[in-house]
């Protein structure tokens, strides 16, 4: 029990933990002290002077140390002669704070008047108008008229690009420093800074590309004026014209809570489109932040390329057909194929879609295969993190192991949370075959050679060195395992080894302990939960099938499947939202709704089930994935639910033990969170949205349910290693890749860059290649032109090949690299 | 005589009628003659321009926000020097008023910060279907003056660097 | 060549003054070092310093921007910093500066076409009784020129121009 302090704010008594700042204490009882530079997630600096309040403390007799009392027994209060800033003053026992006295009002009015002396009259065109703290606080605290002559307002550069994603308007900037402090304190990448001083101070960025940080979009949320705005949303709509609907970001397994802001747009022919993505507060998942990928890749939902009608192959081309014909054909073909039906689904789909697909596959006696190259989902079901896990509570005495994952590229918000945990004192062990951005915060960095992943984990389990000991002795330990340099088999074996490590050190079955998979797609965890598993030889599975039902995956575009040399090709039904190389070769194409057009649930990597809601009307004749599957199933005589996503979830909850007792209502429950953000509170925490649509519920792993947990045996052999005179290509993940969503974005795609590979400088020399030079990479018969990059921390003999760049490498395999 | 009295009353009434035949008629022979519109009459909206031909509208959508009937739809875009519509950063790329919703209250005119949208004298609005009741920007823009260029204009860089044109208090 | 390669001993000496976990404190003396050659800190030098001290370029740039004695743009070989504070102004420094501008053909803050002189206006240089005056700042150091007139200044500039040509 930490010490508490009782004080009086505006006549109301409040008891808060020691060390709380006055402005936070006031927030707890609903007193909104105006702030600009203060942000509840950052250290206070007292730069703007807006939170001025009158502070009085009890008079203490110096001789006796006793509080001096008035005649009526109340303590004598001496007020400070000047106003004090509430954001930098911690509370003390018996303090009296007046926030609405005449002096305080004068102070607030004066500060607003000063801030407005040079603030340009941009409100009509400023993107922040309508959700602007300066506007709100001026209405509440400011003077009705300014006394500063309009012609003397100082003029600076407007519309200055800080990189291509963020615009800075230097005239509007009130120099609160929130953006700079956010980048320096919270993200740890100080790529923006103050330049010059006094009235000429301005924000600059010297990184290349400008404002080079995956979290740059968050600064536009916390900027209290319209100085920092996103280029993506520039002039998109006024803030009050937007409708907000809660959803979950589907770009990575973190499952950040977001809000889609939509509006009917004339530019797209009168359709309702997503105008921007904003964060929604969920302190257990993403706090108030989202990464730039989640923020800027919503444009695919209103691409003109979207599939809107079912298509059937007649002759050489795909012709539009009615839903009736399409569903009937699909059902006929599946019935004919019977047990030889292959259902290939990916983690892009929601739990409801996957549940119906599995039911369809089971009903026919066919196979349900997860499209992906990462294994270990069966382990996370057994020893995943316990219910009640919150990375924000990890600190000194806890341990985090991140192995085979470049966390900032694969799950940026997890990187942020792990970094913050390390800064709070958690022992962070980063094990990777090359340097990553998490190394700076790690207590221990293990650099293993490609192929030694499992051995590294086994060494930790032996507790022979201080790293292993630190992990074993930690009170709580979480292991993040990824697929850096690994394919299906490698990641599966790694997951098994990590699970054993956790069990042996007693870090299973409780909150903040367990295994987290850094999956490649948003709902891979959900897919594993519902019985989907990847297979090693996808091509063989494809060729053996009589009919293949591919949903939400593009194996032909990724080079995982090919029709070359296939004598008897199966009947191919593809359910997608956009045309892809896979739909090009399909026999039947079914248009599905994007997840923003319907509701459903995803399971995040931390095994949290979260609901997303429909923000857009359906596109064309597209239907939700689960409804299409159910319609086919019904025609096959199977009892599949097609009514609503909620009804499907009800069935799911009954049949899957992990989802026991979960309902949509439970998933929609919210609790009060700290800091209190909400659009009515004068934007204390920025313009992130309050969470009123659900915090989600974490699934309970088998270990926590006290079931017996049988782990597969550890297979300790090393993975593929580079041979003498050979090059071993290994897959790595980049955040900005040539996946559909990023390619169709309007700005972010410029940062994808050309396909590239990374090699050690010595390897580059041996191949007579230099940094930036073009080369030809050949893998599995397919070859592509790539740019060469050099990294000294990469193992010699290894070539890093990023996934989703058009190069068909999905597990460590031999490659050849030649200069052009 | 009692027979004459009703006749006299009738005569009085008929005299009034006869006299009114020679009174000056107040009828306006519309549409050949039109009654002049009073000052401050609120008729159809016009999007005004500056003297150099640039539009006054900066696409701020305050008129849409003020409209009690939700009759105005605005979408904004960015000006470039090659294609400039207004002397600022922003202009209205889509501007539509639905005349079946508009109640001609003039709140939009009050709200406009650049005196771009004004209600002028045109009351001759009729349409035969709902779609043609929505007047797009082309139907609302004031025609260009004789010495001015139509928009979009090509302007020299560095001339229009302010975000919003200078705004003055309304003159009347 | 990077900074560490050009001046290895100086860099060593500077870094040795600060504890290794706080080596970013060496940024200011290193920036002085970087400025020595060209009179301003080139982008490459900024990157060098940033890499040496494991800071971002922006952080280094912020320090350069804050202090007026760090320059990040190429300016004249000599910075002519004229004091126009009150006592100097009372002795005619304002007119002096104006005439100087006319004679040199530049405004305050600009550099002459031959890249010799950058004219700057600064605050009190503590030579109030000898105004109008200015200081010349260059790679060779700082020198005061007191009790100056426009003619004397133009002569000095000529002399500097000739001296520069001889050295070349």
């Amino acid at each position: 029990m930490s010490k508490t302090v009782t004080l009086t704010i505006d006549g109301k008594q409040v008891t808060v933990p020691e060390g709380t700042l006055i402005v936070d204490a006031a927030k707890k009882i609903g007193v909104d002290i105006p702030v600009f530079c203060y942000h509840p997630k950052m250290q206070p600096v007292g730069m703007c002077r807006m939170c001025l309040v009158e502070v009085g403390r009890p008079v203490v007799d110096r001789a006796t140390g006793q509080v001096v009392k008035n005649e009526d027994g109340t303590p004598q209060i001496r007020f400070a002669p000047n106003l004090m800033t509430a954001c930098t003053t911690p509370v003390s026992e018996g303090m009296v704070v007046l926030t609405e006295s005449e002096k305080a009002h004068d102070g607030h009015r004066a500060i607003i008047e000063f801030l407005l002396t040079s603030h340009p009259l941009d409100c009509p065109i400023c993107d922040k108008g309508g959700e602007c703290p300066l506007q709100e606080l001026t209405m509440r605290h400011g003077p009705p008229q300014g006394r500063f002559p309009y012609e003397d307002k100082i003029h600076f550069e407007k519309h200055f690009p800080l990189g291509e994603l963020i615009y800075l308007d230097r005239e509007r900037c009130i120099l609160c420093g929130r953006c700079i402090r956010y980048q320096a304190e919270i993200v740890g990448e100080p790529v923006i800074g103050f330049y010059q001083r006094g009235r000429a101070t301005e924000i600059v960025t010297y990184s290349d590309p400008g404002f080079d940080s995956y979290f740059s979009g968050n600064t536009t949320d916390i900027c209290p004026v319209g100085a920092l705005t996103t280029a993506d949303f520039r002039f998109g709509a006024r803030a009050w014209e937007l409708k907000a609907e809660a959803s979950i970001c589907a770009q990575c397994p973190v499952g950040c809570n977001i809000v889609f802001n939509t509006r009917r747009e004339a530019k797209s022919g009168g359709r309702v489109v997503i105008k921007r993505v904003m964060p929604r507060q969920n302190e257990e998942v993403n706090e108030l932040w989202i990464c730039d990928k989640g923020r800027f890749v919503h444009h695919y939902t209103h691409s003109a390329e979207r599939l809107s009608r079912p298509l059937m192959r007649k002759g050489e081309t795909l012709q539009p057909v009615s839903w009736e014909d399409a569903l009937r054909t699909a059902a006929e073909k599946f019935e004919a194929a019977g047990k030889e039906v292959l259902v290939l689904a990916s983690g892009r789909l929601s739990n409801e879609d996957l549940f119906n697909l599995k039911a369809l596959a089971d009903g026919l006696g066919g196979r349900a295969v997860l499209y992906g190259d990462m294994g270990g989902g069966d382990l996370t079901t057994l020893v995943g993190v316990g219910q009640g896990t919150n990375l924000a509570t990890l600190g000194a005495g806890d341990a985090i192991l991140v192995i085979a994952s470049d966390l900032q590229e694969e799950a940026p918000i997890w990187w942020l949370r792990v970094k913050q945990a390390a800064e709070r004192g958690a022992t962070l062990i980063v094990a990777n075959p090359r340097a990553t951005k998490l190394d700076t915060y790690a207590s221990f960095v293990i650099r293993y050679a490609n192929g030694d992943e499992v051995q590294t984990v086994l060494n930790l389990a032996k507790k022979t060195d201080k790293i292993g000991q630190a992990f074993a002795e930690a009170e709580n330990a979480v292991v993040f395992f990824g697929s850096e340099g690994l394919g299906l088999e490698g990641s599966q074996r790694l997951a098994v080894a990590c699970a054993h490590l956790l069990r042996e050190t007693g870090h299973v079955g409780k909150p903040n302990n367990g295994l987290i998979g850094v999956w490649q797609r948003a709902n891979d965890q959900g897919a594993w939960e519902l019985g989907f598993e990847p297979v090693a030889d996808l091509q063989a599975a494809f060729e053996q099938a009589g009919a293949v039902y591919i949903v939400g995956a593009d194996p032909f575009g990724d080079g995982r499947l090919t029709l070359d040399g296939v004598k008897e090709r199966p009947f191919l039904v593809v359910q997608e939202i956009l045309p892809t190389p896979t739909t090009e070769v399909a026999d039947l194409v079914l248009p599905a709704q994007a997840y923003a057009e319907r509701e459903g649930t995803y399971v995040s990597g931390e095994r949290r089930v979260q609901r997303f809601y429909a923000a857009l009307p359906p596109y064309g004749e597209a239907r939700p994935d689960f409804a299409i599957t159910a319609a086919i199933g019904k025609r096959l005589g199977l009892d599949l639910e097609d009514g609503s996503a909620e009804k499907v979830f009800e069935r799911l909850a009954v049949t899957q033990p992990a989802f026991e007792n979960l309902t949509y209502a439970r998933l929609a429950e919210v609790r009060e969170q700290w800091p209190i953000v909400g659009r009515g509170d004068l934007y204390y925490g920025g313009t992130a949205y309050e969470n009123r649509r659900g915090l989600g519920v974490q699934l309970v792993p088998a270990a926590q349910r006290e079931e017996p947990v049988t782990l597969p045996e550890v297979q300790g052999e090393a993975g593929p290693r580079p041979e003498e005179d050979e090059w071993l290509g290994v897959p790595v993940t980049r955040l900005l890749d040539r996946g559909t969503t990023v390619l169709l974005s309007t700005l972010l795609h410029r940062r994808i860059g050309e396909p590239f590979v990374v090699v050690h400088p010595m390897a580059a020399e041996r191949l007579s290649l230099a940094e930036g030079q073009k080369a030809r990479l050949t893998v599995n018969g397919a070859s592509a032109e790539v740019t060469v990059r050099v990294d000294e921390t990469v193992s010699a003999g290894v070539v890093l090949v990023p996934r989703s760049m058009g190069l068909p490498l999905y597990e460590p395999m031999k490659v050849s690299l030649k200069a052009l | 005589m009692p027979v004459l009295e009703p006749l006299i009353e009738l005569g009085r009434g008929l005299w009034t009628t006869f006299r009114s035949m020679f009174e000056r008629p107040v009828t306006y022979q519309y549409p050949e003659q039109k009654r002049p519109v009073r000052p401050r009459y609120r008729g159809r909206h016009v999007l005004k321009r500056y003297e150099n031909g640039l539009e006054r509208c900066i696409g701020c959508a305050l008129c849409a926000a003020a409209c009690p009937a939700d009759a105005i739809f605005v979408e904004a875009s960015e000006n470039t020097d090659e294609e400039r519509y207004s002397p600022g950063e922003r202009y209205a790329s889509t501007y539509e008023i639905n005349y079946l919703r508009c109640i001609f209250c003039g709140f939009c005119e009050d709200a406009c910060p650049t005196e771009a949208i004004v209600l002028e004298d045109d009351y001759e609005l009729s349409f035969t279907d709902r779609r043609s009741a929505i007047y797009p920007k082309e139907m609302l823009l004031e025609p260009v003056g004789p010495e001015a260029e139509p928009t979009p204009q090509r302007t020299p860089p560095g001339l229009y660097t302010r975000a919003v044109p200078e705004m003055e208090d309304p003159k009347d | 060549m990077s900074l560490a390669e050009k001046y290895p001993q100086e860099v060593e000496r500077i870094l040795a003054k600060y504890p290794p976990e706080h080596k970013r404190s060496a940024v200011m003396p290193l920036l002085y070092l970087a400025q020595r050659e060209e009179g301003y800190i080139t982008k490459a030098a900024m990157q060098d310093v940033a890499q040496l001290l494991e800071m971002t370029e922006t952080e280094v740039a912020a320090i350069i921007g804050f202090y007026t004695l760090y320059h990040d743009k190429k300016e004249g070989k000599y910075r002519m910093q004229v004091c126009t504070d009150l006592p100097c102004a009372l002795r005619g420094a304002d007119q002096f500066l104006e005439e100087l501008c006319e004679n040199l053909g530049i405004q305050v803050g600009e550099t002459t076409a031959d890249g010799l002189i950058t004219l700057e206006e600064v605050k009190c240089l503590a030579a109030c009784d000898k105004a109008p005056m200015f200081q010349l700042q260059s790679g060779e150091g700082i020198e005061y020129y007191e009790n100056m007139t426009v003619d004397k200044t133009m002569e000095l500039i000529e002399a500097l121009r000739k001296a520069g040509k001889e050295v070349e």
Side-chain angles (χ1 to χ4, degrees):
Chain A
M1 258 301 264
S2 53
K3 221 175 143 229
T4 57
V5 165
T6 306
L7 67 152
T8 312
I9 302 181
D10 286 349
K12 290 179 259 198
Q13 273 217 341
V14 53
T15 307
V16 287
E18 195 180 30
T20 309
L21 302 161
I22 296 179
V23 65
D24 288 336
K27 203 82 177 129
K28 292 208 156 92
I29 51 170
V31 173
D32 287 334
I33 298 179
V35 294
F36 282 122
C37 68
Y38 177 71
H39 190 280
K41 295 232 171 234
M42 299 193 279
Q43 292 299 311
V45 282
M47 280 167 68
C48 69
R49 317 307 287 181
M50 188 61 199
C51 56
L52 297 170
V53 290
E54 277 199 81
V55 172
R57 293 188 175 89
V59 180
V60 172
D61 188 327
R62 283 195 192 183
T64 62
Q66 295 294 320
V67 173
V68 175
K69 297 248 191 325
N70 285 322
E71 278 148 14
D72 57 3
T74 54
Q76 202 177 79
I77 303 288
R78 182 170 296 146
F79 279 86
N82 278 334
L83 297 167
M84 299 174 72
T85 47
C87 69
T88 53
T89 313
V91 298
S92 66
E93 187 67 38
M95 190 187 255
V96 172
V97 178
L98 300 174
T99 71
E100 306 250 342
S101 69
E102 209 179 304
K103 257 177 113 176
H105 270 152
D106 282 343
H108 299 150
R109 186 171 37 235
I111 297 294
I112 294 274
E113 192 176 358
F114 274 128
L115 281 174
L116 293 175
T117 53
S118 267
H119 198 80
L121 290 184
D122 279 354
C123 293
I125 63 157
C126 176
D127 282 328
K128 201 90 177 176
E131 53 183 16
C132 174
L134 182 62
Q135 273 185 345
E136 305 278 339
L137 291 178
T138 305
M139 293 305 286
R140 194 153 180 252
H141 298 280
Q145 265 194 342
R147 293 171 282 180
F148 192 76
Y150 176 72
E151 300 76 40
D152 276 357
K153 276 188 194 273
I154 196 165
H155 291 311
F156 287 130
E157 205 169 336
K158 325 260 312 160
H159 195 182
F160 179 79
L162 287 179
E164 59 272 0
L165 300 172
I166 309 281
Y167 278 123
L168 168 67
D169 187 313
R170 292 205 166 115
E171 275 183 17
R172 297 177 196 164
C173 178
I174 58 170
L175 304 174
C176 70
R178 263 187 181 182
C179 54
I180 295 173
R181 284 153 46 216
Y182 172 76
Q183 284 293 132
E185 264 178 58
I186 298 188
V187 177
E189 291 173 350
V191 288
I192 47 175
F194 275 139
Y195 191 81
Q196 287 261 33
R197 58 200 150 106
R199 196 60 194 88
T201 314
E202 54 187 28
I203 313 265
V204 290
T205 178
Y206 275 71
S207 62
D208 179 35
F211 208 158
D212 186 18
S213 169
Y214 284 147
F215 304 95
S216 60
N218 292 311
T219 54
T220 62
D221 291 333
I222 57 177
C223 179
V225 294
L228 287 173
T229 51
T230 56
D232 175 62
F233 180 62
R234 189 169 167 81
F235 296 163
R238 301 318 304 271
W240 61 83
E241 293 171 344
L242 295 167
K243 276 215 195 83
E245 187 55 86
S247 190
I248 304 288
C249 178
Q251 302 301 323
C252 84
V254 174
C256 295
N257 289 201
I258 56 173
V259 157
F260 282 129
N261 278 134
T262 59
R263 189 184 185 215
R264 189 179 290 279
E265 202 185 48
K267 282 182 223 171
S268 19
R271 251 186 300 131
V272 176
V273 298
I274 297 175
K275 282 296 204 176
R276 68 174 181 183
V277 174
M278 294 290 277
R280 184 165 51 112
Q281 184 185 29
N282 189 332
E283 292 296 319
E284 290 161 29
V285 180
N286 60 308
E287 297 174 40
L288 299 170
W289 321 120
I290 52 175
C291 76
D292 284 353
K293 187 174 183 183
R295 197 182 283 269
F296 296 130
V297 295
H298 52 85
H299 311 89
Y300 72 93
T301 51
H302 56 261
S303 157
E305 307 281 310
R306 285 275 308 266
L307 296 168
S308 62
R309 302 175 62 183
L311 304 167
M312 186 136 54
R313 189 166 294 280
K314 295 183 178 157
E316 286 292 311
T317 52
L318 289 165
Q319 303 286 335
V321 293
S322 70
W323 268 109
E324 188 49 52
D325 289 339
L327 293 170
R328 194 172 16 107
T329 311
E332 278 167 13
K333 296 291 181 181
F334 287 166
E335 190 159 25
K339 285 201 180 38
E340 288 173 5
V341 163
L342 170 67
V343 171
L344 182 62
S346 84
R348 278 169 47 195
L349 301 168
S350 71
N351 296 325
E352 292 77 10
D353 307 329
L354 292 163
F355 179 74
N356 270 4
L357 282 167
K358 186 73 167 51
L360 179 73
D362 289 345
L364 291 167
R367 286 179 85 175
V369 171
L370 175 62
Y371 182 66
D373 298 307
M374 190 166 153
D378 47 344
L379 279 331
T380 49
T381 315
L382 296 172
V383 294
V385 281
Q387 191 181 60
T389 296
N390 184 352
L391 293 176
T393 54
L394 292 177
D398 302 324
I400 304 176
L401 167 65
V402 178
I403 179 159
S405 172
D406 186 352
L407 218 48
Q408 207 196 57
E409 296 285 336
E410 301 181 21
I413 295 293
W414 274 346
W415 175 89
L416 192 63
R417 308 252 287 163
V418 167
K419 162 194 176 288
Q420 288 177 322
E423 285 175 341
R424 282 192 299 269
T427 308
L428 175 59
I429 308 165
V430 176
N432 219 57
R434 62 178 171 102
T436 65
K437 279 195 174 167
L438 199 51
D439 293 358
T440 358
Y441 306 99
S443 324
F444 303 107
V445 174
I446 303 176
R447 189 85 64 233
Y448 58 80
N450 291 80
D452 282 339
E453 294 82 12
V454 174
Q455 195 53 44
T456 311
V457 177
L458 294 176
N459 288 344
L460 282 175
K462 287 195 208 128
K463 299 186 234 185
T464 42
D465 59 8
K466 59 176 191 253
I467 310 179
Q469 276 160 15
F471 188 83
E473 285 160 22
E475 196 185 319
N476 300 305
V478 173
V479 174
F480 286 86
F481 79 95
S483 53
E484 161 104 5
L486 297 170
L488 177 59
E489 198 190 324
S491 51
Q492 178 74 32
R493 291 204 268 132
L494 175 62
V496 170
C498 291
H500 277 271
L501 170 67
L502 284 164
R503 191 167 66 172
E504 279 164 31
T505 51
H507 292 124
V508 290
K510 12 176 204 166
N512 283 345
N513 284 276
L515 189 63
I516 298 180
V518 187
W519 303 109
Q520 287 166 5
R521 288 183 192 81
N523 199 24
D524 276 345
Q525 182 68 44
W528 280 93
E529 304 279 341
L530 295 170
F532 278 83
E533 271 191 36
V535 292
D537 197 343
L538 193 59
Q539 184 73 29
F542 177 75
E543 294 183 22
Q544 285 161 14
V548 178
Y549 186 16
I550 300 184
V551 187
D554 183 21
F556 288 92
D558 292 340
R560 288 291 261 122
L561 286 181
T562 174
L563 284 176
D564 293 339
V566 176
K567 289 183 241 33
E568 251 189 80
R569 51 164 282 179
F571 188 81
L572 185 54
V573 179
V574 178
Q575 196 165 296
E576 257 287 1
I577 59 176
L578 283 155
T580 60
T582 306
T583 59
E584 297 296 306
V585 299
D587 295 304
L588 181 63
V589 177
L590 301 170
Q593 290 177 352
Y595 84 98
E597 295 161 12
R598 40 162 285 213
E599 54 170 10
T601 54
Y602 282 143
V603 181
S604 77
E606 286 173 280
R607 300 186 83 232
R608 182 181 304 273
V609 185
Q610 303 186 104
R611 276 182 74 178
F612 58 87
Y613 299 81
L616 298 169
Y619 190 98
E621 293 178 36
R623 297 185 186 181
D625 290 279
F626 69 85
I628 304 174
T629 311
I632 299 178
K634 283 214 162 113
R635 282 170 172 74
L636 291 167
L638 299 168
D639 177 28
L640 293 181
E641 179 61 62
D642 66 349
S644 72
E646 184 163 5
K647 289 215 179 106
V648 180
F649 193 79
E650 277 169 24
R651 285 209 194 177
L652 202 167
V654 162
T655 56
Q656 306 288 323
F659 288 74
E660 204 178 4
N661 291 332
L662 280 185
T663 59
Y664 263 24
R666 245 193 100 196
L667 294 173
E669 280 171 18
V670 290
R671 290 180 290 282
E672 196 180 273
Q673 304 188 78
W674 179 263
I676 300 169
V677 302
R679 315 211 114 221
D681 72 341
L682 310 178
Y683 309 105
Y684 172 71
T687 49
Y689 276 78
E690 201 182 334
N691 194 334
R692 284 188 233 164
R693 298 289 247 154
L695 292 172
V697 175
Q698 260 183 319
L699 298 174
V700 184
Q704 201 177 19
R705 276 202 299 268
E706 280 161 39
E707 288 165 13
V709 168
T710 331
L711 296 175
E713 266 187 47
V714 176
Q715 290 172 297
E717 314 88 63
R721 279 195 218 280
E723 311 266 329
E724 184 91 30
D725 288 338
E726 269 185 9
W727 300 105
L728 182 71
V730 297
V732 297
T733 308
R734 304 284 300 178
L735 188 69
L736 303 175
D737 53 24
R738 290 181 178 266
T740 327
T741 51
V742 186
L743 268 182
L744 286 175
S745 76
T746 53
L747 286 168
L748 213 52
H749 67 281
R750 288 185 219 162
R751 291 201 177 185
I752 301 176
E754 295 300 314
F756 66 92
V757 295
V758 188
V759 290
H760 191 273
M762 283 198 317
E765 241 185 84
R766 261 176 55 197
L767 291 162
S768 315
L769 291 167
E771 163 101 27
Q773 203 178 330
K774 291 249 190 291
R776 184 156 290 280
L777 177 80
T778 313
V779 49
N780 240 0
S783 83
E785 204 178 285
V786 295
T787 314
V788 171
R789 290 199 202 163
V790 161
D791 180 351
E792 323 185 298
T793 63
V794 173
S795 309
V798 162
V799 178
L800 299 187
V801 182
R803 294 186 170 93
S804 299
M805 285 290 220
L807 305 161
L809 188 116
Y810 42 88
E811 60 182 7
M813 49 174 78
K814 209 165 67 160
V815 298
S816 91
L817 189 62
K818 288 195 173 50
L820 278 181
Chain B
M1 286 202 342
V3 160
L4 274 179
E5 274 163 30
L7 280 174
I8 291 172
E9 292 309 314
L10 185 64
R12 236 195 232 137
L14 282 174
W15 175 248
T16 309
T17 310
F18 185 71
R19 205 182 37 178
S20 75
M21 276 173 65
F22 299 100
E23 272 172 18
R24 207 194 169 79
V26 294
T27 320
Y28 282 87
Q29 294 303 325
Y30 185 86
E32 287 83 20
Q33 272 182 324
K34 293 188 189 176
R35 176 178 184 261
V37 157
R38 301 290 186 256
R40 288 190 258 167
Y41 180 75
R42 300 198 299 272
R44 195 205 62 185
H45 303 77
V46 173
L47 283 171
K48 306 291 270 182
R49 297 172 184 270
Y50 288 100
E51 266 124 35
N52 61 8
L54 288 174
E55 298 164 17
R56 278 180 180 262
C57 179
I58 53 173
C60 68
L62 288 178
C63 53
C67 178
D70 195 16
I72 306 183
F73 179 79
V74 184
E75 266 181 14
S77 295
E78 179 117 34
N79 273 322
T80 53
D81 279 313
E82 294 82 40
E83 200 181 315
R84 179 168 289 282
Y85 293 84
S86 76
E89 283 177 4
R90 181 171 167 148
Y91 73 99
S93 48
T94 304
Y95 193 97
E96 295 174 356
I97 299 186
N98 184 343
Y99 279 98
L100 286 172
R101 289 191 186 182
C102 176
I103 60 174
F104 298 92
C105 61
F107 279 13
C108 52
E109 186 172 352
D110 293 338
C112 181
T114 49
E115 291 185 357
I117 186 81
V118 295
L119 277 81
E120 286 198 342
D121 308 338
D122 187 11
Y123 49 81
E124 291 164 329
L125 312 167
S126 71
F127 2 84
T128 51
D129 62 282
R130 286 183 193 279
R131 189 150 238 139
S132 44
I134 299 178
Y135 278 37
K137 189 174 169 195
E138 303 80 57
M139 289 176 75
L140 297 170
L141 255 187
E142 182 179 44
V144 186
E147 279 133 34
E149 269 179 59
T151 49
Q153 292 182 4
R154 252 199 114 77
T155 53
L159 188 60
Y160 294 105
T161 53
R162 306 303 311 137
V164 190
E166 306 287 308
M167 295 183 282
E168 300 121 5
D169 285 329
K171 292 181 202 60
D172 59 23
Chain C
M1 279 227 288
S2 81
L3 207 62
E5 285 164 7
K6 270 190 268 201
Y7 311 100
Q9 283 149 336
E10 287 227 43
V11 170
E12 275 278 335
R13 190 180 54 81
I14 292 170
L15 285 174
K17 284 198 264 184
Y18 304 96
E21 63 270 16
H22 296 297
K23 64 178 172 178
R24 27 189 316 153
S25 310
V27 65
M28 290 186 71
L30 281 177
L31 284 174
Y32 265 127
L33 185 62
Q35 193 168 260
R36 217 184 278 171
E37 267 185 56
E38 309 247 4
Y40 76 107
I41 300 169
T42 59
K43 190 149 169 51
M46 221 194 296
Q47 281 166 344
D48 278 343
V49 174
Q51 255 175 4
L52 260 176
L53 303 174
E54 286 172 31
M55 296 164 69
T56 60
E57 250 188 83
T58 308
E59 284 178 295
V60 175
I63 293 172
I64 296 175
F66 187 86
Y67 295 104
T68 48
L69 290 183
Y70 289 129
H71 309 288
D72 60 356
K73 276 193 268 305
K74 185 161 181 62
E75 301 198 16
K77 189 162 169 231
Y78 294 95
R79 286 174 211 277
M80 183 174 286
Q81 292 164 335
V82 184
C83 173
T84 51
D85 223 338
L86 182 58
C88 281
L90 290 173
R91 286 184 64 125
D94 285 332
Q95 291 102 301
F96 170 71
L97 183 61
E98 237 183 271
E99 268 193 62
L100 204 53
C101 282
E102 271 176 43
N103 283 0
L104 289 173
I106 55 173
Q107 298 291 321
V108 172
E110 293 177 358
T111 309
T112 53
D114 54 1
L116 190 68
I117 305 278
T118 301
L119 198 56
E120 290 171 19
E121 203 177 339
V122 296
K123 296 284 167 230
C124 182
L125 292 169
C128 316
D129 56 332
K130 305 188 184 71
M133 54 81 61
F134 56 84
Q135 69 177 16
L136 269 189
Q137 201 183 67
S138 70
E140 297 140 22
I142 300 178
E143 260 203 67
Y144 271 35
Y145 290 88
E146 298 154 342
N147 285 321
M148 296 301 286
T149 62
V150 179
D151 293 326
K152 278 202 256 180
T153 312
M154 296 310 289
E155 276 173 32
L156 169 70
I157 293 175
E158 251 324 295
L160 289 172
R161 192 171 291 139
K162 286 215 186 81
K165 285 218 178 78
E166 280 169 19
V167 168
E168 275 169 48

